[in-house]
Amino acid sequence: MPYEPVLLARINKPNSGKLEGYRADGGYATIERALKEKQPIDVTTQVKDSGLRGRGGAGFPCGLKWTFLPKDHPGPIYLCVNADESEPCTYNNRILMEKDPHQVLEGIMLACYAIRSQKAFYYVRYEYGDSFRSLQAAIDELYAAKLLGQNILGSGFNLDIVLHRGAGAYICGEETGLIESLEGKRAWPRIKPPFPAIEGAFRKPTIVNNVETLACVTQIMKRGIDWFKSFGVPPDPKNPRDAGSYGPKLYTLAGHVEKPVCVEVPMGITLRDLVEKHGGGVWKGRKAKAVNPGGLSMGFVDVNAPLKGEDGKTEYDIPLDFNGPGRVGCLGLGTAAVTVIDDQTSMIDVLHNVCQFFSHESCGQCTPCREGTGWMLKITDRLRRGLGRKEDLDILIDVGDRIGIMPGTTICGLSDGAGWPVKTAIRKFRAEFEAAIKSGAKSKYAKSLALAGSH
Ligand SMILES: Cc1cc2nc3c(=O)[nH]c(=O)nc-3n(C[C@H](O)[C@H](O)[C@H](O)COP(=O)(O)O)c2cc1C
Ligand code: SF4
C-alpha cells in the first residue's frame, strides 16, 4: 500500500494555515488531552519511547535531550525553535511553516508543557518572509482564541510564543549561534559545555529543536508510539550505538532532477527510489553522477561506485536513514536535502561552488575553519582556472580531514560540513580532478579575475 502522508497531509487544503481548518481536522485536541490527562513527564516519556531523533541535522534523540534539563529548576526554561533552515537545497521546514503552521505550533505547545517552559522563541531565517507572515497570523489567531497566554484551556499552563526574524547567515542555525543571535549579538557559536540544556538563551536552561522535529511531536502525541515506530528502520543489531531511524520523514529534492519536490515517506527510502520515483529522475534524460544525500555538508555519493558487500548495487542504492549515507563515507543524513548532479557537470565547478559557500559562511572565530575554508576556496578556484597542481588534491583532503569539531580543532560543526564535500569529492572523483589538472582545462564559469568569493 502506498504511504499516506501525515506531516504533509494538510498542505494542499484550502486555507490550510487557518486555525478554523486545523481545528476542524482535530487540531489542538492533542494538547487539550495532554493538559487534562497527562503530566509533563508523560509527554517526555512518550516522545522518548517513540525513538524520535531530531530532524535538524544531527539526529540526536529528542526526548532524551529534554531529560538533560536540570531537575526542579525554578525557571525560566526556554524552547528555541530552529527555523533557520540555511543548508543549501533544504526547504522542508519552509513548507510546514507556510502551509501548516498550526501543526508545528501544537508541537511547540506540547514540548513546552513537557519541559515546563512558559516561553518559546521561534527563530525564522530572515529570507523566509512568507513563513514569518503565516506564522505571525497563526500565533495571533492562537492568542485571540486564548490558546496562548495565561491559563490555557483552564489548565493553569501558561505559554507565550515570540516570533524572531533571523540574521541572514547560515551559522545562525547552529544552536548556540542561534541563541547568540537571539540575544542580539553576532551569531558566534559558543564553546560547549555548557550545553544549552544547562545554560542556553539568556543563560537559562534551553532546548533547541527543529521545526520538523516538533511537527513529529504533535503526531507522536496524537497517534502514539506504535504508529511512529511502524515506519522507518529499527536499530542495527551490529551497532550498539545505533538508536534506529523511526518515523516518517520529509525529503527535499533539488539540483538536476525533473521534479524538485518535498516528499514525505517512511525513513529509509533508497536514494535511487527517491530520485527516480519521486523526483521524476534526472533532468533532460541525463544520468546522475553524484548526489548530496542530506545537504552540502554531508559530502557526495558516487552513484556509479559499487556498494560494498551488496552485489549489483551501487552507492545510489543506500537507504536514506540516519546510518545509510555513513556507509559510503558521507557524514550522515543531515537535513535529508537530496541534491542531484548530472553527468555533464564538472565536479571541479561543483566543489568550487561548495567552497565559496562555506568560506563565506564561516563565522571566523576558529582559525582552522576561517583559514581552512578560505584556502580550500583558493585552491578550488585555482583548479577551475586550469592552474591546478598535482599536490593540490592531497592538500585539499588534508585540510578537509583536519578542520572540524570531530577532529577537535573548532568550536562548531560548520567546518566538518565544509570538509566533508571536499574530501568525498576528491576521494570519489579523483580521476576527473587529475585529468583536469593534466589538461589545464579552464572552466567555462571561471571569470578572468584572479580570485572571487572570499570577503
Ligand atoms: C553550521 C550549522 C548549521 C545548522 N543549521 C541548522 C538549521 O538551520 N536548522 C536546524 O534545525 N538545525 C541546524 N543545525 C543543527 C542545530 O545545531 C541543532 O542540532 C538542531 O537545531 C537541534 O534540533 P533537533 O534536535 O530537533 O534536530 C545546524 C548545525 C550547524 C553546525
Ligand atoms: S567552526 Fe567555523 S563557523 Fe564554527 S565557530 Fe568556528 S569559525 Fe565559526
Side-chain angles (χ1 to χ4, degrees):
M1 266 224 321
Y3 173 77
E4 199 58 47
V6 171
L7 300 168
L8 298 184
R10 302 188 62 259
I11 62 166
N12 291 321
K13 292 193 167 189
N15 289 327
S16 63
K18 292 270 181 271
L19 177 59
E20 198 188 345
Y22 186 66
R23 287 190 109 166
D25 291 337
Y28 294 110
T30 306
I31 181 68
E32 190 168 353
R33 214 170 36 249
L35 291 177
K36 277 196 190 129
E37 297 168 11
K38 290 184 193 284
Q39 293 300 313
I41 185 68
D42 301 329
V43 178
T44 300
T45 305
Q46 187 159 331
V47 170
K48 195 168 157 209
D49 292 349
S50 73
L52 171 64
R53 290 172 66 178
R55 294 341 196 195
F60 195 83
C62 179
L64 180 65
K65 177 152 75 179
W66 296 357
T67 66
F68 294 162
L69 289 165
K71 307 283 170 272
D72 303 321
H73 191 276
I77 290 171
Y78 298 125
L79 176 75
C80 286
V81 184
N82 193 341
D84 192 57
E85 192 160 75
S86 305
E87 184 72 34
C89 301
T90 309
Y91 52 97
N92 44 20
N93 288 183
R94 176 169 63 76
I95 296 208
L96 289 172
M97 291 189 286
E98 285 179 7
K99 305 286 186 193
D100 196 5
H102 284 291
Q103 179 184 199
V104 183
L105 288 166
E106 189 169 9
I108 293 171
M109 292 170 80
L110 287 158
C112 285
Y113 181 60
I115 65 172
R116 298 177 187 276
S117 169
Q118 298 188 5
K119 185 162 272 184
F121 296 102
Y122 205 138
Y123 188 104
V124 186
R125 71 176 284 178
Y126 181 80
E127 297 84 345
Y128 277 4
D130 286 345
S131 297
F132 188 83
R133 284 181 282 279
S134 148
L135 285 167
Q136 190 62 64
I139 290 170
D140 291 347
E141 282 183 307
L142 286 179
Y143 275 108
K146 303 208 175 335
L147 283 162
L148 281 179
Q150 299 292 300
N151 193 22
I152 295 167
L153 296 164
S155 64
F157 172 57
N158 308 326
L159 178 64
D160 288 304
I161 301 181
V162 178
L163 202 51
H164 183 93
R165 210 150 179 192
Y170 175 59
I171 198 58
C172 295
E174 195 279 342
E175 57 185 3
T176 58
L178 181 151
I179 288 169
E180 288 285 307
S181 168
L182 181 70
E183 292 179 357
K185 292 177 263 167
R186 187 179 282 200
W188 276 4
R190 295 178 183 168
I191 294 175
K192 291 154 270 225
F195 288 93
I198 304 298
E199 195 180 296
F202 309 102
R203 305 283 159 191
K204 299 295 176 193
T206 301
I207 293 296
V208 183
N209 273 135
N210 171 262
V211 168
E212 187 186 337
T213 310
L214 291 159
C216 289
V217 167
T218 302
Q219 299 304 334
I220 289 163
M221 294 312 297
K222 180 176 179 182
R223 295 161 195 269
I225 294 171
D226 292 343
W227 166 79
F228 193 73
K229 286 192 145 173
S230 67
F231 302 108
V233 184
D236 175 0
K238 285 183 251 151
N239 178 0
R241 295 176 62 190
D242 179 22
S245 305
Y246 290 114
K249 181 79 195 85
L250 303 186
Y251 295 91
T252 54
L253 277 153
H256 300 158
V257 277
E258 279 294 348
K259 207 170 65 168
V261 70
C262 173
V263 287
E264 176 186 343
V265 286
M267 203 42 119
I269 185 171
T270 66
L271 190 49
R272 186 187 296 275
D273 279 354
L274 192 69
V275 175
E276 303 295 332
K277 293 189 184 152
H278 296 275
V282 182
W283 73 351
K284 301 179 184 175
R286 296 180 190 169
K287 289 196 166 49
K289 177 199 240 178
V291 181
N292 278 129
L296 289 185
S297 308
M298 298 301 116
F300 292 100
V301 164
D302 174 356
V303 298
N304 297 307
L307 189 58
K308 277 196 196 112
E310 304 237 14
D311 264 359
K313 292 192 175 172
T314 74
E315 292 189 0
Y316 209 18
D317 296 293
I318 53 161
L320 291 173
D321 56 25
F322 284 110
N323 281 341
R327 283 173 58 192
V328 295
C330 291
L331 182 51
L333 181 64
T335 60
V338 169
T339 308
V340 177
I341 291 146
D342 75 22
D343 59 354
Q344 295 189 26
T345 303
S346 150
M347 286 309 286
I348 296 137
D349 284 334
V350 171
L351 197 58
H352 174 258
N353 194 314
V354 170
C355 289
Q356 267 190 312
F357 174 76
F358 285 105
S359 173
H360 185 259
E361 297 297 339
S362 166
C363 84
Q365 269 192 105
C366 319
T367 307
C369 173
R370 183 186 63 246
E371 293 297 314
T373 54
W375 277 103
M376 291 196 298
L377 173 61
K378 282 179 190 143
I379 296 174
T380 49
D381 186 63
R382 188 156 76 210
L383 290 174
R384 78 189 186 125
R385 287 173 196 288
L387 302 170
R389 305 175 305 200
K390 238 170 71 192
E391 60 270 29
D392 282 343
L393 302 184
D394 289 331
I395 294 172
L396 282 170
I397 291 180
D398 195 41
V399 176
D401 275 337
R402 281 166 193 258
I403 61 172
I405 200 166
M406 279 156 56
T409 57
T410 62
I411 294 172
C412 92
L414 181 141
S415 41
D416 300 78
W420 238 268
V422 170
K423 48 200 187 186
T424 48
I426 295 175
R427 285 188 177 127
K428 294 181 183 206
F429 299 95
R430 192 169 184 118
E432 183 181 337
F433 281 87
E434 284 178 345
I437 291 172
K438 202 170 167 196
S439 71
K442 185 176 167 183
S443 160
K444 60 181 175 189
Y445 301 109
K447 299 194 191 87
S448 52
L449 289 169
L451 176 67
S454 58
H455 63 156

